[in-house]
Amino acid sequence: MESKVVGLLGGGQLGRMFLEAANRLNIKVNVLDAPNAPAKQISNHDGHFDGSFKDPEAVKKLSKTCDVVTVEIEHVNTQVLEEISGEVAVEPSWKTIRTIQDKYAQKEHLQKHNVATAESLPLESNTVEELEKVGQKLGLPFMLKSRTEAYDGRGNYPVKSSSDFEGALKALGQKPLYAEKWANFKMELAVMVVKGKDQVLAYPAVETIHEDSICKLVYAPARNVPSSITKKAQELAKKAVSCFWGKGVFGVEMFLNQDDSLLINEIAPRPHNSGHYTIEACPMSQYEAHLRAILDLHLDEEGVQPYRPSVMLNILGGASPQSAAEVAKKATEQSTALRVHMYAKGDARPGRKMGHITVLGSSMAKAEGLMKPMIDVVDEVRRSRTDIPAPSSGSSEPKTKQTKALVSILMGSYSDMPVLDAGVQILEKLGITYETHITSAHRTPEWMGEYVASAAPSGIKVIIAAAGGAAHLPGMAASHTYIPVIGVPVKPTIGDGTDSLLSICNMPRGIPVATVGINNSTNAALLAARILGVAEDEIAESIRDYAEGNRKEVMEKEAKMQQLGWKGAMQEWHAKK
Amino acid sequence: MESKVVGLLGGGQLGRMFLEAANRLNIKVNVLDAPNAPAKQISNHDGHFDGSFKDPEAVKKLSKTCDVVTVEIEHVNTQVLEEISGEVAVEPSWKTIRTIQDKYAQKEHLQKHNVATAESLPLESNTVEELEKVGQKLGLPFMLKSRTEAYDGRGNYPVKSSSDFEGALKALGQKPLYAEKWANFKMELAVMVVKGKDQVLAYPAVETIHEDSICKLVYAPARNVPSSITKKAQELAKKAVSCFWGKGVFGVEMFLNQDDSLLINEIAPRPHNSGHYTIEACPMSQYEAHLRAILDLHLDEEGVQPYRPSVMLNILGGASPQSAAEVAKKATEQSTALRVHMYAKGDARPGRKMGHITVLGSSMAKAEGLMKPMIDVVDEVRRSRTDIPAPSSGSSEPKTKQTKALVSILMGSYSDMPVLDAGVQILEKLGITYETHITSAHRTPEWMGEYVASAAPSGIKVIIAAAGGAAHLPGMAASHTYIPVIGVPVKPTIGDGTDSLLSICNMPRGIPVATVGINNSTNAALLAARILGVAEDEIAESIRDYAEGNRKEVMEKEAKMQQLGWKGAMQEWHAKK
C-alpha cells in the first residue's frame, strides 16, 4: 500500500503493537532490538537488525534501510539520531526526544511555551544543603526526580520532610536530579495526541490509576469528570504536544488538581500505556495513528472517537515466572468479552509489563463490571509479590467507584418528596442510578437553569420534575436542556390537580414535557426506564422483568377470584381492609 | 498462556488473521504452506513448513510438531487427516471436512439431519440426457454445480433453459456434478457458528452481497430483516453445524426466500469471509473463536454480541497488479474510521481477494455512509477489469437501501392526520425515520396489540399515538410494549380536549404514557427526538440546532419589536393578519 519503509528503535510491547498495525496495512517495518524481541516475533522478513537500539553503529545501519526512523522508547541515543537526520527522516524529531529525555528540560520547555506544569527546580548539586534550599523554595513535601532514564516510577522519590533528604540522595544521588512542587491532585488523566503534518488531534481524556508508580488501570473516558474538564485536558495536551518538533503520537500525562486546574505531569514521544485501549475502542488505534503521522498519511477526527467506554488493565509479573500467563489464562476463562494481549516477553519478572486486557461496555458501568473479576486476580498476584516494600500510598490506590446518576429528580420543595418516593423506589428496584435536587422555577430561577443546563454534560440522561399548581418547573427545566423531561403533576392542597396537570402538559410548541398522571411518580420512573432502555439493553431487560412481575400479580389475583368466587373474594377484601 | 501448539494447513488471508489472534494470546501456530505465505509473514519462528498443504508427507511432518491440526481451507487431503487423527487432534474432524468438500454429500448430510437446504440431485453422467432428466425433476431454471474444488462461484453454472445444457457441460463437464433446485431468494444471509467442546454459539445473522459470484459486501446485522427471521437464521445455522463432527468455527451461508423461509446454501468448516467484520465489531473475533474452540478454551455468549453495526467491503484485484494497493491507499485517505486489512499476497490478479475494509457506525446508516465512497472506488476498479464476461445478474447487485424507521406514529383514523402532520414535519426536518399506521384500540384491538408488540423487535424505538375523546390508543399501546409511548390528545368535535388529555395522562401506576399538550404533535415529535438523542449523538445534535433556530427566531422578533416600537409592531401584525 505504502512503499516507504519504517525503521523502529526498540521492539518491546509497544513495538509489537505498532507492528500489528503496520502488518494490517502491509507496511514494512525494520526493527532494531535484541533477537526475538516481542515486535520481531510477529514480523517475518530479513530487514530486522539484532543489537541495542542505543548502539550508534547499529542505528546507522538500520537508517540506511528505511525512509523514516521512529522510536518505541525515548531512552535512545539522540546524538546519532541528529547525525542521521540529514539522510533519513527521524520522527518525532531528535530535538523532541532529547528535550523529553531530560525531564527537567521537558518541564522548562513546556513552561517556556506557557503550558501549565508543576513548578520545578534543577539541583545544582546532589547535597542535603541543596535539598534544603529547594524545600524552602517549593515547600515540603516535594517530589525529587531523576532527570534522565526514569520510567514507571523508577527515579522518583517523595520528600515529605527534611528527614527524607538523606534517603532520597542515597536512592537517586548518582543521577542528575530536579525537584518538583508537590501536586495536590485528585485524579490523574492522560490524553494521547496525534501530531501530523498539518494537524494535531486528541483522543479522549482518560483516567489512569497507578499502583507502585506503574500504570494499573485506564478508564476511557475518565469517570465522573465533566466534559468541560475533559475538553480542557484535551486542549492542554494538544497545546503541550504542539510545542515539540516532528510528527507521531505522544502520551500526555497530567494531574487534575483539587481546584479543577490541570497540570502536565510528563510527556512520552511515542505510543503509551494509557492509549492501549484505542486498539479496540477506537476506529484508529494509537499505533496506526503513529504510523499515519510519521508517514504523512491522512488523519482526521473520525478515528479518535471511541465506539464505547472501555477499561484497560495491565498484566504485570508476579512472584513466579508463570504468573502473567496464569492471569491471561484466567482472563480467557472469565469472559469472551475480555480482549487479552500478551507481549511474549518470556518470563514474568515481578512488576514487569507482560500484557494487558481491554474490555468495552455499552456503558462504563458495564465495562467496569466485566473487568472487576480480573482486577481481583491481579490484586491477588500483587499480594504474592515479595519485592514491594510497603503498601502503596493513598494517592495511587484505585479510587472507589462513584456511580454516575442517569436520572435527575427535581422538585420545588421538601413537600413534594412523599409524591416522588414511589418513583424513587421504582428506580432503586430497576437498578437505575439517580440524584435528587430541590430547585424552584420561581424561587431559584438562576440555580434551576444552571443546574439543568449542566445535567446532560455531566451524564444525566432523563430529568423527572414534579410541581403543583402553576406548575412551571418541568417546562422551565425542558427549556434549559435537550434531554427528555418528564413532568409529574402534584395535587395541590386546594384543587384536584388538574391545574398542575394542564400547567405541565400544555407547553408551547417547541418545548415538550412528557406528562404523566397526577401524583403518579411510579409512571414517571417507569417512563424514564423505558427511555433509558432505548440505549441500554440491560435496563430494557429489567423493565420487561418488572412488567412480567405485574402481569403475574394480576393473573394471581384472577386465579384467586376464580378460586374463592365473588363472595369469598369480597369477604377477604373486607377482612384485609 | 496456552502451551498447546496448533498446526495450520494453509497460510492465506484466513490463516494470517488466525495468526493475528494467536499472536495476541501468545499461542504458537505452525503453518504449512508456500514460503512467504501471508500467514507466515506475521509469525517469526522456526516451526513453519514450506510446501503444499495437500502433500501427505508434509502434513504428517507438521502433525508431529503440534497438538491439534486445523485448516483455513477445506480443499485438503482428508485421507492423510484421517490417518494422523490417531496421533494428533484434527479439528474440525476429517469426517466433517470430507463431507463438506463434496457439496452434494454436504447437502445430503444436512437433509438426513432435517436441516432445510435446496433440493439437490447428483448427476449419474455428465450428459445432455441426464440434464434433461434433472430438469424434469427439479424444473427449469436450476443451478448446475461441481461437487468438489468449487469456491467463490467457480464451479457454478446457472441452467436457465435446455439451450444451456451444452454450455454447462462444456464449462463443468470434467468434474463430478450435481444439480440444485433454483432458489428464489430475496436476500443472502450468513451466520458464523462456533462449535466448542460443549456448546454451539451463533454470531449475528449478516447480509451478504455477492457480485460475480464473489462476496462483495457484508452488512452486520442484516438490514431490514426482522429479528424473528434473524433469530431463525441463527437457529438454523446452529442446527446445521451441530450435525457435523469436531470443533471450530463454521461459516453458514443461506438464502432468505420470498416467503421468508430459509434454506442452507453451503457451509465452510473454517473462518469465513462473512465473518471478517467480527475482528472489530465483536469482542471475540471469529479467529479467536476458532482458536478457543479447537483448544477447548472457555466460550460464552458475551464475545459474539457486536459493539455496533458494521459494514465489510472486500478489496479484489483489478486490471493492474497495483489496483488493490491503490484501493487501500484511497481507503486510508478517505477516513480514519475505515479499518483496512491488507493480506500481503503480492500482485493483485483480477478478482483475487487482496484485502478488506471494515467500518463500524453508531447506526447502520452511519456505517453505510462511511463505506459508500469506498464502494464507489471498488466499483470503478471492477469496471476497469476485462476478465468479466458480462454485467452480473440482478440478484447479485447490491440492494437499494431501505431505511429502518425509528419512530412509529399510530392513529385510530384518517381524521387524526391533520393533527399529526406538524409532528411528521418535525421528524422530517430532524432527519428521523418514521412509519405511520392506522390502528384503533377499540375497532382493531388484536391488530393494534400485535403491531405494537412487534414494533420494538423490528427496530422502532419510540411510539407516538394520537387519540381523542375516550382516548385509549396511547395507553393500550403502552401496555403492549416496553418502549416509550408518547400520547397526543386530540381535540374532539365536542369538548375542548381535556377529556382526551386526561384519558391519556391518568394511566394506572405501572404503564406510563408521556403525554403532551392537546393537538401538540410538534412537541410529541420533539420529545421523541429528545428520547432518541439519549442513544444517538447525531439526533441530540440536530435537536440543539433546531432549538438554536427557535431561539434566533424569538431574538429576531424581539429585535424587530425594539426597532419598530409597540405601535409599529402592532401595525405590522394587523397588516399580516
Side-chain angles (χ1 to χ4, degrees), chain B residues 134-188:
Chain B
V134 163
Q136 277 158 18
K137 286 188 191 155
L138 297 180
L140 279 161
F142 62 80
M143 187 64 97
L144 190 65
K145 291 187 170 183
S146 169
R147 292 175 64 148
T148 56
E149 296 284 329
Y151 64 97
D152 284 351
R154 274 173 268 192
N156 286 3
Y157 199 105
V159 177
K160 289 178 179 161
S161 69
S162 57
S163 64
D164 286 334
F165 288 171
E166 287 197 9
L169 290 173
K170 205 169 152 193
L172 303 179
Q174 304 309 310
K175 294 184 174 178
L177 301 178
Y178 78 107
E180 230 178 76
K181 197 179 162 79
W182 193 263
N184 189 17
F185 61 87
K186 57 181 175 188
M187 194 183 232
E188 288 181 85

Side-chain angles (χ1 to χ4, degrees), chain B residues 182-379:
Chain B
W182 193 263
N184 189 17
F185 61 87
K186 57 181 175 188
M187 194 183 232
E188 288 181 85
L189 301 179
V191 176
M192 289 306 309
V193 173
V194 193
K195 187 159 181 283
K197 191 173 42 160
D198 34 41
Q199 77 259 78
V200 179
L201 304 174
Y203 283 92
V206 304
E207 174 186 355
T208 58
I209 307 282
H210 289 77
E211 192 169 53
D212 311 321
S213 300
I214 298 183
C215 177
K216 176 184 184 177
L217 279 157
V218 171
Y219 294 89
R223 297 170 300 172
N224 309 315
V225 178
S227 66
S228 56
I229 292 179
T230 56
K231 271 191 195 134
K232 255 171 53 189
Q234 288 176 303
E235 289 313 313
L236 179 62
K238 286 204 272 186
K239 187 178 173 193
V241 168
S242 299
C243 71
F244 288 98
W245 306 269
K247 295 168 282 191
V249 300
F250 292 73
V252 182
E253 295 182 285
M254 55 186 92
F255 299 126
L256 174 60
N257 296 315
Q258 298 297 344
D259 64 355
D260 281 350
S261 66
L262 291 160
L263 285 182
I264 299 279
N265 176 17
E266 56 185 74
I267 296 179
R270 51 165 172 80
H272 190 258
N273 201 161
S274 67
H276 289 350
Y277 76 93
T278 60
I279 296 176
E280 285 91 4
C282 296
M284 171 175 65
S285 75
Q286 62 166 339
Y287 302 98
E288 185 180 324
H290 188 63
L291 200 58
R292 284 175 177 262
I294 65 173
L295 290 176
D296 290 343
L297 298 177
H298 168 81
L299 285 167
D300 62 45
E301 293 277 354
E302 288 274 8
V304 301
Q305 312 301 330
Y307 296 133
R308 285 186 164 191
S310 59
V311 180
M312 191 252 14
L313 173 70
N314 271 339
I315 301 177
L316 305 181
S320 87
Q322 290 78 43
S323 55
E326 284 160 14
V327 173
K329 180 89 185 167
K330 280 186 185 149
T332 59
E333 283 161 5
Q334 176 61 38
S335 163
T336 54
L338 302 175
R339 308 201 74 165
V340 180
H341 296 252
M342 294 306 289
Y343 305 150
K345 280 171 151 182
D347 282 354
R349 288 197 305 266
R352 192 181 193 198
K353 288 177 178 171
M354 300 299 294
H356 75 266
I357 307 168
T358 300
V359 70
L360 277 62
S362 52
S363 65
M364 179 56 88
K366 185 84 202 289
E368 287 180 275
L370 287 164
M371 191 61 93
K372 180 71 179 68
M374 293 315 300
I375 299 178
D376 295 341
V377 168
V378 304
D379 285 345

